Amino acid sequence: MKGRKDNFFMARALELAQQGRGLVSPNPMVGAILVKEGQIIAEGFHRYAEKKHAEVLAIEAAGDNARGSTLYINLEPCSHYGRTPPCLQRLIEAGIVQVIAAMEDPNPQVSGDGFRRLKEAGIDLKVGVGKEEASQLNEAYSAYIRLRKPWVILKTAMTLDGKIAESNGHSQWISSELSRARAQQLRFDCDALLTGIGTVLRDDPILTDRTGQTRRRPLLRCVLDSHLRLPLASRLVQSRKDGGIIAFCLPERDPVRQSLLEKEGIEVSSVPKKEERLSFDSILEELGRREITSLLIEAGPTINFLAFQQRVVDKVCCFIAPKILGGVRPLPFLGEPGFINLEGGVKLKFSLIEQVGPDILIEAYVYWDH
């Protein structure tokens, strides 16, 4: 019975944490509840702009009633000075008698230390309730805090036979309106979006987050543009007021083109080559320096293959429409040269298979053999 109650209360903490979507990056999404005599007496979730952490907000909401209560939280309480003082002391001073946490904080400054100090203070501790759900919720934060590079999701929409566009490049619309709305939610969940110059020249997209939901910072839009061909009159350039735009190019770029783009408010960033292509690792390092925790790739066959070839994709989100194009001319999901054999190909683990309107959404994690 106690285990079922723990699962119930942790589910509420996770539900609260999700209210921080779009509002906390580069911090994790954290929800906290205080429970006393089987009843929730206070709640809180983290919002970056307000600085205070979820557990502190819950303690403040409970006031003196926090004494003798149990804290349910989806991430280890912090024990270090950052934008705020450590939360551990507030827990001790408030008289919390038990902490039930879903997972350890992957931040090396915290990892395990918060739990250790709770035990030293005589607070009963239980870890692991709802761990799988908590880990998935903050997978981007976990990757970023360990590697200082964004978590990379590659999203695509394709026909049943793996085509992402007609032979003339036209792709509107392979997937349904419901799927496109779901794809917009992916944009909302990410800090940055990346595409290739080929997609920009062909489709003239804006690449904005059109969910209408409140986010802490605008979606950063990135274009792989080796030779700075980004048209000044493109809808992307003309929408620069909707959020930052970076054109990643080769070091030997045209200074005149660079100057023209920069006058339009486009940032130009040169990155080194990797096997005659732009280095994704260098791009991710640069985005990491900007505290970008998650990157969504929405591109064509060439960039899709390059991302897999350079082993930077962490997760795939694929919308499969009940349509078939056939032939060799329609554009495939991955471009040339492809992988030579099954052993050298991309290995996935499906995490979600769901019907979205007439389409099927498949989400899968990528496993690289290092």
Side-chain angles (χ1 to χ4, degrees):
M1 181 64 73
K2 183 65 168 63
R4 287 166 61 184
K5 284 187 176 180
D6 286 345
N7 290 332
F8 172 81
F9 289 129
M10 185 60 72
R12 176 56 187 163
L14 285 163
E15 185 180 335
L16 283 169
Q18 291 188 58
Q19 293 185 41
R21 286 190 182 277
L23 302 175
V24 300
S25 178
N27 288 359
M29 289 176 276
V30 183
I33 63 171
L34 291 176
V35 175
K36 196 172 185 179
E37 297 177 356
Q39 300 295 319
I40 296 175
I41 60 171
E43 300 180 333
F45 70 92
H46 177 56
R47 288 162 288 217
Y48 188 90
E50 295 182 10
K51 291 190 178 181
K52 292 180 180 179
H53 290 183
E55 54 269 50
V56 172
L57 291 170
I59 288 170
E60 289 182 349
D64 292 340
N65 199 28
R67 189 162 300 277
S69 66
T70 295
L71 170 71
Y72 287 82
I73 189 166
N74 60 296
L75 192 69
E76 178 181 6
C78 72
S79 58
H80 72 294
Y81 279 89
R83 296 174 70 237
T84 63
C87 296
L88 261 296
Q89 194 59 36
R90 293 296 300 273
L91 298 181
I92 295 168
E93 292 171 355
I96 305 298
V97 296
Q98 183 181 38
V99 172
I100 298 179
M103 62 179 283
E104 187 176 287
D105 192 330
N107 186 343
Q109 292 182 293
V110 179
S111 190
D113 185 59
F115 290 152
R116 178 184 60 78
R117 291 174 62 179
L118 285 172
K119 291 178 181 177
E120 289 176 353
I123 296 175
D124 186 48
L125 177 66
K126 183 176 181 180
V127 181
V129 177
K131 181 179 179 180
E132 184 176 348
E133 295 86 349
S135 297
Q136 187 171 3
L137 178 68
N138 280 312
E139 58 193 8
Y141 164 77
S142 296
Y144 169 75
I145 205 69
R146 287 185 290 105
L147 306 173
R148 293 296 168 180
K149 296 179 182 179
W151 172 260
V152 178
I153 302 171
L154 192 148
K155 170 261 169 183
T156 191
M158 65 171 68
T159 61
L160 187 59
D161 57 337
K163 309 298 184 182
I164 64 171
E166 299 170 358
S167 56
N168 60 5
H170 187 264
S171 61
Q172 296 181 342
W173 295 105
I174 284 178
S175 59
S176 67
E177 186 175 348
L178 285 173
S179 290
R180 297 196 298 276
R182 186 72 167 266
Q184 283 294 319
Q185 189 62 45
L186 282 173
R187 290 187 182 183
F188 174 75
D189 289 340
C190 291
D191 293 336
L193 184 151
L194 181 143
T195 195
I197 186 61
T199 297
V200 175
L201 294 174
R202 183 179 63 246
D203 298 339
D204 194 22
I206 300 179
L207 304 176
T208 51
D209 165 15
R210 297 192 291 277
T211 62
Q213 299 176 68
T214 302
R215 55 188 303 150
R216 188 176 77 83
R217 50 184 178 177
L219 181 69
L220 178 65
R221 293 164 292 168
C222 309
V223 182
L224 295 192
D225 187 10
S226 299
H227 304 293
L228 296 181
R229 294 185 292 156
L230 182 59
L232 301 181
S234 65
R235 295 201 305 158
L236 181 60
V237 172
Q238 296 305 309
S239 69
R240 57 194 175 278
K241 292 181 180 178
D242 294 324
I245 301 169
I246 304 177
F248 287 106
C249 64
L250 293 172
E252 53 270 23
R253 70 273 195 195
D254 181 345
V256 176
R257 285 293 302 168
Q258 177 172 344
S259 178
L260 289 172
L261 286 169
E262 288 176 340
K263 285 179 180 178
E264 293 294 327
I266 308 303
E267 184 176 352
V268 175
S269 178
S270 67
V271 293
K273 289 181 182 179
K274 183 174 183 178
E275 299 176 357
E276 298 306 309
R277 296 281 191 175
L278 291 175
S279 167
F280 256 112
D281 282 334
S282 298
I283 290 169
L284 296 185
E285 287 172 4
E286 176 59 31
L287 293 176
R289 283 191 285 271
R290 298 164 187 256
E291 294 190 327
I292 298 298
T293 65
S294 51
L295 174 68
L296 180 65
I297 296 178
E298 292 187 21
T302 301
I303 301 302
N304 288 346
F305 176 71
L306 182 64
F308 282 115
Q309 185 185 45
Q310 296 191 19
R311 297 190 166 201
V312 299
V313 181
D314 296 300
K315 189 175 184 179
V316 177
C317 293
C318 181
F319 294 90
I320 302 177
K323 303 170 184 176
I324 293 175
L325 278 173
V328 295
R329 288 187 174 275
L331 301 183
F333 168 47
L334 294 186
E336 295 292 345
F339 295 99
I340 297 173
N341 52 46
L342 290 173
E343 281 302 309
V346 181
K347 298 176 179 64
L348 305 171
K349 180 181 180 181
F350 292 157
S351 59
L352 175 71
I353 301 175
E354 177 185 338
Q355 185 151 4
V356 181
D359 306 328
I360 297 294
L361 167 61
I362 296 179
E363 294 185 358
Y365 292 101
V366 183
Y367 286 86
W368 299 112
D369 297 325
H370 293 287

